[in-house]
Amino acid sequence: QLGLRLKFGKNEKLEKIDKISNHRFTADELGRWKTQMRDDRERMITPTECVNRLQATKRAQQHTYKPEEIAEMVRKRQLAATQTGRRNLASTRIKLKNEILACKDRVEEAHAAEQAAERGDSFDAQEKAREEREAAEKALRQKE
């Protein structure tokens, strides 16, 4: 839900964007705003600041993100999600599926290595291959 922070003098509130009118404000509304700002001793925006903000907004709208910028934004969001405990369920599910597939591949590779070691004469190679297979199977059970 999009919102705008509205400030009228010292009063400030967040309002839903669908509640904001697209009509130009009237001279009377501008006068009341100026009076309120003066009464609350708040600083009013200058015409130069308005122009600068408009130009900055236009530059932001025309900006094209580079792959490096996108990767950095994704990295920051993932870090924030990890730190706050909020994670995207879909991305977590995909990540877990990929980890399970990697574990299954590791089990298959370890099983093939164990069978190859059994054909050889080295007891140490057979023992090492068996341990690797068992470790891979344990990791798979933990992921599933």
Side-chain angles (χ1 to χ4, degrees), residues 30 33-34 37 42-54:
L30 178 62
W33 177 77
K34 285 181 178 180
M37 293 294 281
E42 291 287 318
R43 185 180 164 281
M44 283 192 264
I45 190 168
T46 65
T48 304
E49 289 173 325
C50 284
V51 169
N52 291 342
R53 286 186 186 183
L54 179 62

Side-chain angles (χ1 to χ4, degrees), residues 93-109:
R93 181 179 295 142
I94 291 169
K95 182 178 176 185
L96 189 56
K97 282 182 180 180
N98 289 339
E99 289 174 359
I100 289 172
L101 288 174
C103 284
K104 285 181 179 179
D105 289 343
R106 191 170 148 217
V107 167
E108 288 176 15
E109 290 168 4

Side-chain angles (χ1 to χ4, degrees), residues 14-96:
L14 189 65
E15 190 67 50
K16 291 181 183 177
I17 202 161
D18 59 348
K19 300 285 185 189
I20 307 297
S21 170
N22 284 336
H23 297 288
R24 295 186 178 275
F25 48 85
T26 64
D28 182 51
E29 289 171 326
L30 178 62
R32 284 187 291 149
W33 177 77
K34 285 181 178 180
T35 302
Q36 187 68 46
M37 293 294 281
R38 251 191 321 268
D39 291 349
D40 290 344
R41 296 183 182 196
E42 291 287 318
R43 185 180 164 281
M44 283 192 264
I45 190 168
T46 65
T48 304
E49 289 173 325
C50 284
V51 169
N52 291 342
R53 286 186 186 183
L54 179 62
Q55 289 173 349
T57 301
K58 285 182 180 179
R59 278 193 308 272
Q61 288 173 337
Q62 295 170 352
H63 179 73
T64 303
Y65 287 101
K66 298 175 187 151
E68 300 84 32
E69 293 173 307
I70 294 169
E72 180 64 18
M73 290 188 307
V74 168
R75 187 191 66 73
K76 285 180 180 179
R77 284 187 181 180
Q78 287 175 339
L79 180 63
T82 302
Q83 289 174 346
T84 60
R86 292 187 205 152
R87 298 192 73 155
N88 182 323
L89 188 58
S91 64
T92 303
R93 181 179 295 142
I94 291 169
K95 182 178 176 185
L96 189 56

